[in-house]
Amino acid sequence: LSFLPPQHQPETTSHQRPRFAYVTLSYGEDICPPLTVTMNVRNVLNEHSKYAQQTDVIILRLGELIPPDLMPKGVQQRPIQETVMKGKFSGWKHTYSKFWIARMDEYDAVLFLDSDVLLYKDLDDLIDVALNLEEGSIVAPRAYWYKQQPTAMTGTFVIRPCRQHPPQGPLKLLHALLEENTTQEAFGLSEMDWFNHYLVHNITLVSGFYTLLTGEFYSHDGAYAYWQRQRNQTAALVLQDAPLIH
């Protein structure tokens, strides 16, 4: 993909191969979205990613686990607890739970995707950006449709887990957020508001093309044709180049 510069590839030996994870969040009775997105991710990685054999695909599950016979091949699920902090509306009540990925320090990079994302291409570029940053770093695309900038999107983002304790960098705040006795408070309507209020100036922002909205192709949406204008391309070419649609 042409919208990120080439990244230096960290040297590893065969017994030091980095490990990665693509993760989504699932809660409530509707299990179709997380099953669909993880099956989509597994297929795209197997077909395109240079890191396919080093990458786990995981559903973080709040509540009763999904029956094993419904799980896509090559996809895991992990039970998680509710976070103390909650979103203000029912649809966003549990979205802070995506930040449990901050504790997945067995991986060298963890990429989170909301369960309503459709992946077209691997996101190796984002993984490579994270690998070139210090442990405790976060990489996120710009929420390009917001007039107030910088604004990051939390529907797609990558963390560089921190193996030292206490953790450093932006992950220090995320770890504190997950503690049962946290003194932090919710901010705004959802986890995206909190993320931008506390972290946006301390993370690495990349092109908003990594969080291309469906509104790009809907004439009544405020984000309509944003990338068609930016890239001087037709809608078909934008879709052809898109790594994902959210």
Side-chain angles (χ1 to χ4, degrees), residues 101-102 104-105 107-110 135-137 159-163 171:
I101 67 171
M104 298 173 69
D105 58 8
Y107 295 102
D108 295 276
V110 181
E135 289 187 358
S137 300
I159 67 162
R160 184 90 159 89
C162 195
R163 292 184 172 89
L171 285 197

Side-chain angles (χ1 to χ4, degrees), residues 193-244:
D193 297 299
W194 181 92
F195 190 91
N196 279 283
H197 182 72
Y198 289 105
L199 297 179
V200 72
H201 295 292
N202 296 297
I203 66 175
T204 298
L205 287 171
V206 297
S207 171
F209 203 51
Y210 284 101
T211 186
L212 177 66
L213 299 184
T214 56
E216 174 74 21
F217 309 103
Y218 179 57
S219 60
H220 296 290
D221 193 284
Y224 175 65
Y226 177 91
W227 291 105
Q228 295 168 62
R229 294 189 297 269
Q230 291 290 314
R231 300 166 66 90
N232 193 27
Q233 290 181 328
T234 64
L237 285 175
V238 168
L239 185 60
Q240 178 179 298
D241 288 346
L244 58 82

Side-chain angles (χ1 to χ4, degrees), residues 62-211:
L62 268 175
E64 185 177 350
L65 290 178
I66 298 170
D69 60 317
L70 296 180
M71 292 292 294
K73 183 178 180 180
V75 176
Q76 310 171 22
Q77 65 176 323
R78 295 188 184 184
I80 56 172
Q81 300 176 343
E82 289 190 17
T83 53
V84 173
M85 202 171 297
K86 304 285 194 299
K88 290 194 175 181
F89 294 128
S90 59
W92 296 331
K93 180 179 179 182
H94 299 298
T95 55
Y96 279 91
S97 296
K98 66 178 63 175
F99 294 143
W100 281 114
I101 67 171
R103 298 287 182 86
M104 298 173 69
D105 58 8
E106 70 270 35
Y107 295 102
D108 295 276
V110 181
L111 190 150
F112 183 86
L113 291 171
D114 276 346
S115 61
D116 57 349
V117 167
L118 178 62
L119 192 66
Y120 289 125
K121 301 174 182 177
D122 65 72
L123 299 178
D124 290 354
D125 285 348
L126 294 186
I127 296 289
D128 289 340
V129 171
L131 288 178
N132 280 275
L133 300 174
E134 295 179 352
E135 289 187 358
S137 300
I138 300 175
V139 179
R142 289 182 179 273
Y144 60 89
W145 60 95
Y146 273 70
K147 292 183 179 179
Q148 180 180 342
Q149 292 292 337
T151 302
M153 178 59 167
T154 55
T156 306
F157 67 102
V158 188
I159 67 162
R160 184 90 159 89
C162 195
R163 292 184 172 89
Q164 73 177 77
H165 296 280
Q168 302 301 310
L171 285 197
K172 184 175 182 180
L173 273 178
L174 282 186
H175 273 254
L177 179 72
L178 298 169
E179 300 291 343
E180 288 187 8
N181 60 347
T182 182
T183 58
Q184 297 188 53
E185 296 181 356
F187 181 87
L189 301 177
S190 71
E191 94 293 340
M192 182 173 164
D193 297 299
W194 181 92
F195 190 91
N196 279 283
H197 182 72
Y198 289 105
L199 297 179
V200 72
H201 295 292
N202 296 297
I203 66 175
T204 298
L205 287 171
V206 297
S207 171
F209 203 51
Y210 284 101
T211 186

